[in-house]
């Protein structure tokens, strides 16, 4: 599985499938847009005793990979209000799944080891600069200082007992780490 924009591998369950017998190969390839906020190309090469069997294996593997990405999107999307992350960010009474807790934990780890250079809650700052670009009016120094002050700490904490909100989590985006 490859993410179209970055070319980096993304989480999925794609396997190159081979059988013991020397056989025929088949390739299944699909391009999908709007998965986890990017374009995705899935290419599976399968080998089996016949071309027909190889094609069935390749197509089934592609569909399995696609289904896994759709499932992950239901956890990590910031564009789908029904996603687990969006509901958690909004303050809904959502206990993060193990997957969401793991990625929040990884974000906390990289925030810590980077001295805050990596921050998963920069959405308000990014949105302000996008508005400045659109309006052609940069933010004031006071406004930037207030936005920067909001980035001094993480708005959540992950520990052995789970994930705890300790601030406004509405700006948490995990795109930089979940993909």
């Amino acid at each position: 599985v490859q993410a179209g924009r970055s070319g980096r591998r993304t989480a999925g369950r794609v396997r190159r499938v081979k059988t013991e017998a020397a056989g025929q190969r088949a390739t299944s390839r699909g391009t999908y847009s709007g998965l986890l906020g990017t374009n995705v190309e899935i290419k599976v090469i399968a080998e089996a005793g016949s071309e027909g069997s190889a094609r069935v294996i390749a197509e089934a593997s592609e569909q399995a990979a696609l289904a896994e990405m759709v499932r992950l999107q239901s956890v990590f999307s910031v564009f789908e209000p029904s996603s687990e992350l969006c509901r958690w960010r909004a303050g809904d009474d959502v206990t993060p799944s193990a997957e969401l807790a793991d990625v929040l934990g990884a974000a906390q780890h990289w925030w810590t080891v980077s001295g805050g250079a990596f921050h998963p809650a920069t959405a308000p700052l990014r949105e302000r600069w996008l508005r400045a670009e659109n309006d052609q009016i940069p933010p004031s120094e006071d406004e930037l200082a207030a936005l920067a002050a909001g980035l001094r700490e993480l708005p959540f904490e992950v520990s052995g007992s789970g994930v705890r909100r300790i601030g406004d989590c509405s700006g948490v985006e995990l795109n930089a780490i979940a993909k």
Side-chain angles (χ1 to χ4, degrees):
V1 179
Q2 292 185 343
R5 290 184 192 163
S6 66
R8 291 180 296 174
R9 296 223 175 252
T10 182
R13 295 183 182 161
V14 177
R15 297 181 299 260
R16 183 165 178 202
V17 181
K18 283 189 166 187
T19 61
E20 291 295 318
Q24 301 293 313
R25 283 184 168 191
T27 301
S28 181
R29 175 183 279 164
T31 303
Y32 306 90
S33 60
L35 281 173
L36 293 169
T38 192
N39 296 320
V40 176
E41 178 183 1
I42 302 172
K43 178 181 176 182
V44 179
I45 302 169
E47 188 174 316
S50 70
E51 185 177 341
S53 294
R55 180 154 311 286
V56 167
I57 292 168
E59 289 173 357
S61 297
E62 178 187 340
Q63 290 307 306
L66 178 60
E68 177 65 3
M69 282 187 266
V70 169
R71 187 189 71 77
L72 290 171
Q73 183 166 284
S74 74
V75 175
F76 296 111
S77 176
V78 294
F79 304 108
E80 292 183 13
S82 63
S83 78
E84 182 182 350
L85 176 60
C86 280
R87 290 181 293 122
W88 179 80
R89 290 177 355 152
D92 290 359
D93 189 22
V94 175
T95 299
S97 64
E99 287 172 316
L100 181 54
D102 285 348
V103 175
L104 287 167
Q108 178 179 284
H109 167 78
W110 287 109
W111 176 79
T112 300
V113 300
S114 71
F118 174 84
H119 201 297
T122 59
L125 182 61
R126 180 182 54 80
E127 289 167 6
R128 179 58 186 101
W129 279 110
L130 289 172
R131 192 172 83 232
E133 178 184 35
N134 185 55
D135 298 345
Q136 294 297 297
I137 301 170
S140 70
E141 287 186 30
D142 289 343
E143 187 177 6
L144 286 176
L147 287 166
L151 297 175
R152 288 194 184 107
E153 299 295 330
L154 283 181
F156 61 88
E157 179 180 33
V158 182
S159 66
S161 60
V163 179
R164 184 171 64 104
R165 288 184 199 93
I166 54 176
D168 178 6
C169 292
S170 64
V172 173
E173 294 183 350
L174 300 172
N175 297 339
I177 196 165
K179 292 180 187 181

